[in-house]
Amino acid sequence: MQMGPWQLLLIAVVVLVLFGRGKVSSLMGEVGKGITAFKKGVSEGAKEVEEAVEEPKTSDKDKV
């Protein structure tokens, strides 16, 4: 079941009425910070994996 634009608008209005503009604004700020931290963690994890893959290659050359 797909949600149309009117259903999404109704949900947004209900959330705004229930929590108030200030709460929703601060919540969205926290969500943005969380997304930024997640992206940073993913990129750091990818760098660590790349370094771990490259590390055995250099140690193999040292043994020869």
Side-chain angles (χ1 to χ4, degrees):
M1 182 174 138
Q2 287 185 330
M3 294 182 67
W6 291 109
Q7 287 91 358
L8 292 175
L9 182 63
L10 180 64
I11 290 171
V13 168
V14 169
V15 167
L16 189 61
V17 168
L18 288 176
F19 296 108
R21 195 175 85 188
K23 276 278 199 199
V24 172
S25 176
S26 65
L27 179 65
M28 290 297 113
E30 293 298 318
V31 168
K33 289 177 186 176
I35 291 171
T36 302
F38 177 76
K39 287 182 180 179
K40 183 179 177 183
V42 168
S43 67
E44 288 176 358
K47 287 179 185 177
E48 288 179 13
V49 169
E50 286 178 10
E51 291 172 1
V53 169
E54 291 175 3
E55 195 171 292
K57 292 179 183 177
T58 57
S59 63
D60 289 342
K61 291 178 182 177
D62 295 336
K63 291 180 181 177
V64 175

